[in-house]
Amino acid sequence: MHTASFSNIEKRLLCALLFVVFSIVGYTQQTQINGLLQTKTGKPVVQVSVLVKNATGHIVAYGFSREDGAYSILLSDTLHRNELFIEVNWLGYKKQVLALGEGKNNYLIILEESIIELKEVKVKSGSVIKYKSDTLSYDVSSFSRREDRSIGDVINHMPGMSVGENGQISFNGKVIANLYIHGDDLMDGRYGLATKVINKEMIKSVDVMQHFQPIQVLKNKVLTNDVAVNLVLKDENSLHLSGQAMAGGGVPEQYDAAMNGILFNKKFKMLNSVKTNNSGTDYRNDFFQFNQSSFLNSVDNTRPTELLSEGIAGDPDIPKQNYYLNRSGVLNANNLVNTKDSLQLKSNIQVFFDRNTFHYSNRTSYYLPGDTIRYESVQDASRKPFLLNTSLTAMVNKSSYYLNNNLRLNVSGYDNESNLNYNNSKFNQLLSARTYDFSNDLQYTPAVKNRNIINLRWYLNYFILPQQLYTGSGLDSDILNNHLPYAVLNQHTETPSLLSNFSAYYLISGSHAIKQTYEAGILNEWQQLNSILTVTQPDGSITPYKGDDGNKLHWQRNKLYVNTSYSMRKKNWEAALSVPLYWHEIHYYENAYTLNSHTRHFFLNPVANIKLYLNAEDYLTARYSSQNAMGNIGDVYRGLILSNYRSLTANNAGLQEKRNSALALNYNYQRNIIMLFINAGITYNSVTASSILSSVLTDNVQRTLLLPYENDQSSIGINAGISKYLFALHTTVSLNSFWRRSRYDQFINGKALPYANDALSMSVNLSGKFTTDFTLNYNGSGSWYQSKQAKINALDPEPVNRVKRFDQNLSLLYSPASNIFFTVKARQLYSPRPGNPAINYLFLDINIRYKLRKWRTDLEFDLSNTLNIREYTSVNLSSNQYGISSYGIRGRMGIIRATFNL
């Protein structure tokens, strides 16, 4: 068995990067300057900037006075003290200048109030950006353009910030933890709708809150590196209902309609929406919960995943409106009330239904030593997804205690039907699923008299995912029906799961330099995996698959855990260490296979974080973690499962154990005044698993087994990004790059095949309004992917597969008057293929919008895919697998919309 490891060159590269980072830390020694700002009467002067300037008058460092008048400034030791001055020049006070002295690090500054008589003053605009404590505040009016509709459009112009196609917001390369509306989490983490429909005129500023702690009782007591965004209202006492009503129609047979209702004030917040369309708009991003993965990890909920699929290629890498042939409807209701006694009540409800069609053809080649196996398929699919999400929350969030109860009732599913032609064999396929997900999360966090904290939490979840797959004769009959022809295969699976997790911790805070947390908890999990495969014979009779007895697997996981955590902050650095100790007991059994396993394990999973502040805005972070984990019920079932029309899965190994070591170093550079943001980082991961996935590929069938062989995987990644606002051009420019190398083994047709994969991506974004009439937005990206298989024998060639892809987006807007907008959007996708014609597409869209201000109505004409492209081809590469997929997409489409603003 080959063990994946880095080459000497990669090891040297990693060592060199670590050396550079630690050199920066070592050579950028700093001293903290402290002091107080007071009036002559001893009253603290709050939120005043304190500047350190050199002899030429340039600012070399700065800080702000806090609520008690205290300030602190990090000053590099490379600067000469005898050439520096502290300056405080604030409206309403006389200017104060003090020379810095060698060896003196504390300065009391007494400010004398002064009265300034102002003549006529014309206020043109406020500050573009403000920095106060850990909050960076963007003035919306300074970044908004007259063509912008929603607050999401404005955020996309802000340097350091970006909004993805799915609505997810990032700041300086880091995904935000959540979006708040005037301090309230109205959307429950599903904020995609908010950024699209909240009018920019309602928002005064977009505040980026770093080191964000949403629980009041834990503020300044529990260190956090989370970033959140808060939309600050212009009028928190408004009782005015606003929103939009939109109706549209077009060709061929297109419709689009929506009704949005918005009411925001400090006591009540409402954002409700009803929409329907068949014009390619996907509503699922409106209610996707961006923080769901981190939440499930926090409660250790490894819920079962889907066991069955359609076995088709993924979605094409073009905007969804170009290929999404839909008939969709959605109700999205979000309501929040803050009562006088600090109780907050919130409800979030989403109802979604859809019917869409999908046509694709795929040719996949697997390159094996001495052989190549190819699969070809053509599929016409009809999908009918639906869901109901319900979340009810009651919360009290005070500085004295925190109480929160969240009840979720979610039901979702789909009914998918498709006609296939697989390796010249034609048949039908039906796949249906129903998911029922009920959970309750109760948390109580009171502060005790000595300023310490107690936290109690109980999370309970019931989850079941039944699936049913009917497929025709796509698989070989000699495997499934004793060499006899058959009519239909029927695969049924279900995975009911019940999980309970109760925990309690005690935080010692007070005046201690080191904050200590002691936590204990118990987790209980009960699961089943039931499956049966039946065969419908040509005469209509139904018989069970004779290869095995299916699955009736029982699973129970019990976990006791204790965790000790320590955190501290000293001058310009902070550190946190968590040392959780787990005791695992896992029992699973299946009588039909005489399978009965009972395992117990102790795991120690330390996590360490260090943060070094280089000055008031720049910092370095380092994180190390060593995690041990066990597999789940999906690793140990023995009965055969027909996972899709060409794949069979089973397991022949014990419960998988994984050891994961990870190291991450990140550098954050901010210059808020000049609006320059830079980030860079390096990550390294090493995973050792006790089992490996083995694939057996034949001409028509893929069989996968989990085998008891050690499997090593490792990866290294480097990322960097920069975002700058060019004041003279009123333009934001961003550059981002990412490189990753991964090494791992695959077990295919009885042979261990080691692979090394390299991925490189680079992108540039430009958003500028060069004149009052013209706006230009450009986004260009390139990606390079290479998969290389190591030699099995010295004389064998070294198989290498490569894929390149370039994607360019250009948007030009011309506005000859304040109420007329002409927009042309062009997108080019290019992928060269040596020895074959290159993949090259150009999509062109035109939009014309006219504002009827008197009627508060927008009239809009949208012509998409004007070149009438009806088919799209893409290339994908993964290890030894090379695939070409062709998709049927929407042709030319025109639609007229009228939007009335309430």
Side-chain angles (χ1 to χ4, degrees), residues 323-337:
Y323 67 87
Y324 186 40
L325 302 169
N326 67 307
R327 294 181 181 178
S328 307
V330 66
L331 165 66
N332 197 338
N334 306 273
N335 296 274
L336 181 149
V337 177

Side-chain angles (χ1 to χ4, degrees), residues 48-49 51 87-91 93-96 111:
V48 170
S49 59
L51 309 178
E87 179 182 305
V88 178
N89 189 10
W90 201 253
L91 188 66
Y93 298 95
K94 292 183 179 180
K95 180 179 178 180
Q96 296 290 331
L111 296 180

Side-chain angles (χ1 to χ4, degrees), residues 196-236:
K196 296 176 184 176
V197 302
I198 295 178
N199 194 308
K200 64 178 182 177
E201 303 300 334
M202 302 177 67
I203 306 302
K204 177 175 65 175
S205 67
V206 175
D207 290 359
V208 178
M209 302 175 292
Q210 303 179 71
H211 307 100
F212 178 66
Q213 175 56 260
I215 301 176
Q216 294 289 334
V217 73
L218 298 181
K219 277 194 172 181
N220 302 318
K221 296 178 181 178
V222 176
L223 297 179
T224 171
N225 287 317
D226 289 341
V227 176
V229 169
N230 184 36
L231 305 180
V232 180
L233 299 174
K234 285 183 178 179
D235 182 6
E236 66 174 15

Side-chain angles (χ1 to χ4, degrees), residues 476-483 545 547 640 648 698 701 703:
D476 287 347
S477 59
D478 56 349
I479 298 175
L480 294 165
N481 200 34
N482 198 23
H483 301 278
Y545 168 63
L640 193 72
L648 301 166
T698 61
V701 181
R703 303 186 68 177

